């Protein structure tokens, strides 16, 4: 179970990094600071909650999911603006 949870956290992080890289390649985007901030929060969270491996993985999952949500906001906003509404 822990291995699966860690794989989900790693996949979430990889997806968010791919979205950050795509956004930076399309235009000059300043989203790398967000990745750095999440990394600092990750270190602080693991330092606070490290009694069990489950706690460490949960901290990773929560912060990496928050990063994915924050990075995906421009994609949803752009797609919503690109789709014309039906009359």
């Amino acid at each position: 179970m822990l291995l699966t949870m860690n794989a989900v956290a790693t996949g979430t992080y990889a997806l968010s990094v791919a979205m950050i890289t795509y956004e930076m390649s399309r235009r000059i985007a300043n989203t790398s600071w967000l990745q750095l901030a999440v990394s600092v929060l990750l270190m602080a969270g693991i330092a606070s909650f490290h009694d069990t491996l489950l706690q460490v993985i949960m901290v990773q999952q929560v912060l990496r999911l928050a990063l994915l949500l924050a990075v995906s906001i421009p994609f949803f906003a752009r797609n919503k603006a690109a789709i014309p509404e039906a009359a």
Side-chain angles (χ1 to χ4, degrees):
M1 181 175 123
L2 292 176
L3 183 60
T4 304
M5 291 174 63
N6 194 27
V8 169
T10 303
T12 304
Y13 181 70
L15 184 59
S16 62
V17 168
M19 292 175 79
I20 289 171
T21 305
Y22 175 74
E23 188 69 24
M24 291 173 82
S25 71
R26 288 191 71 245
R27 59 189 169 114
I28 297 175
N30 198 7
T31 54
S32 59
W33 64 268
L34 185 60
Q35 185 179 7
L36 181 63
V38 169
S39 297
V40 169
L41 287 174
L42 186 62
M43 288 187 296
I46 290 174
S48 299
F49 304 103
H50 64 275
D51 291 335
T52 65
L53 186 57
L54 178 63
Q55 287 181 345
V56 171
I57 292 173
M58 290 301 291
V59 167
Q60 288 179 347
Q61 281 185 331
V62 168
L63 289 174
R64 289 176 176 175
L65 185 61
L67 176 65
L68 180 63
L69 292 174
V71 169
S72 65
I73 289 172
F75 288 95
F76 293 129
R78 186 178 315 121
N79 289 336
K80 189 175 182 180
I83 299 173
E85 292 186 25

